[in-house]
Amino acid sequence: MIYLRLFWAFFQVGLFSFGGGYAAVPLIQNQIVETNHWLEMSQFADLITIAEMTPGPIAVNSATFVGQQIAGVPGAVMCTLGCILPSLIIVLALSWLYMRYRNLSMIQGVLNGLRPAIVAMIASAGLSLLVLALFNTSLSELVISDFRAVEGVIFVVCLVLLRKFKVNPIAIIFGSGLVGTIVYLVCSRV
């Protein structure tokens, strides 16, 4: 039964995460943290961090990780299949339809209408992750006094390095991971 639940949870993620990537993060959060309670919010943050750092799409990496945590290798296979199957079916159907009806203005209108929704989903995912990183809670439970200053400083420094100095994002990831590790080790000894 758990295999079907895992498959169905990530089938829904794969089916409704238009835009892929970060647009899938709120859907993944809903399925694994809020609906099925497979992971806690802090574990979800770790999951997203690992899924971003490893090669491949975030949704597929997350599916594989969650499946492995919940039900071992068979669970990882079921989650991954559930995540990619909707995309496979949709892409095959849409490519056939697009090739047949690509000159219709209605098709272009639908594609233009989807863009703002995808931007909103990506912004929502980014905001959720930012709040989680800076306050260690979800947006609905945000308390300003829980602000984590070290994480705030790391965020601002990384943002400046990325935007103003155009530092390579990979260097930012490794550097912030190194700084976070050092701060954690120093704080755990105090």
Side-chain angles (χ1 to χ4, degrees):
M1 185 66 175
I2 188 66
Y3 299 121
L4 289 176
R5 286 182 57 209
L6 289 167
F7 178 85
W8 179 242
F10 280 95
F11 186 85
Q12 292 175 71
V13 169
L15 186 61
F16 297 114
S17 60
F18 290 99
Y22 296 107
V25 172
L27 300 172
I28 296 168
Q29 177 184 346
N30 177 268
Q31 286 296 321
I32 66 174
V33 176
E34 296 161 14
T35 301
N36 293 298
H37 307 287
W38 287 323
L39 298 178
E40 298 293 324
M41 194 62 180
S42 61
Q43 294 172 306
F44 175 73
D46 294 340
L47 161 72
I48 296 301
T49 303
I50 292 168
E52 287 178 347
M53 291 175 51
T54 54
I58 291 174
V60 174
N61 292 345
S62 299
T64 306
F65 180 83
V66 170
Q68 173 66 33
Q69 291 294 316
I70 304 302
V73 174
V77 170
M78 293 304 287
C79 286
T80 304
L81 284 175
C83 189
I84 64 174
L85 188 60
S87 298
L88 176 66
I89 294 167
I90 291 170
V91 166
L92 287 174
L94 287 178
S95 64
W96 179 80
L97 288 170
Y98 183 75
M99 293 306 290
R100 185 165 179 153
Y101 302 108
R102 67 178 166 234
N103 296 327
L104 293 177
S105 62
M106 184 178 78
I107 298 297
Q108 295 303 318
V110 168
L111 293 174
N112 289 337
L114 285 175
R115 286 186 188 114
I118 292 167
V119 170
M121 290 179 76
I122 292 170
S124 171
L127 182 62
S128 293
L129 289 174
L130 180 64
V131 168
L132 181 62
L134 297 180
F135 296 94
N136 199 28
T137 188
S138 66
L139 189 58
S140 62
E141 301 169 359
L142 180 70
V143 177
I144 299 299
S145 63
D146 291 341
F147 179 73
R148 299 162 75 180
V150 172
E151 287 84 348
V153 169
I154 292 172
F155 171 73
V156 170
V157 168
C158 290
L159 187 63
V160 168
L161 289 173
L162 280 168
R163 302 303 298 168
K164 184 172 173 93
F165 297 106
K166 308 292 186 210
V167 175
N168 187 318
I170 295 171
I172 297 291
I173 291 171
F174 284 116
S176 62
L178 180 64
V179 169
T181 302
I182 290 169
V183 168
Y184 174 76
L185 290 174
V186 169
C187 289
S188 66
R189 290 185 183 167
V190 174

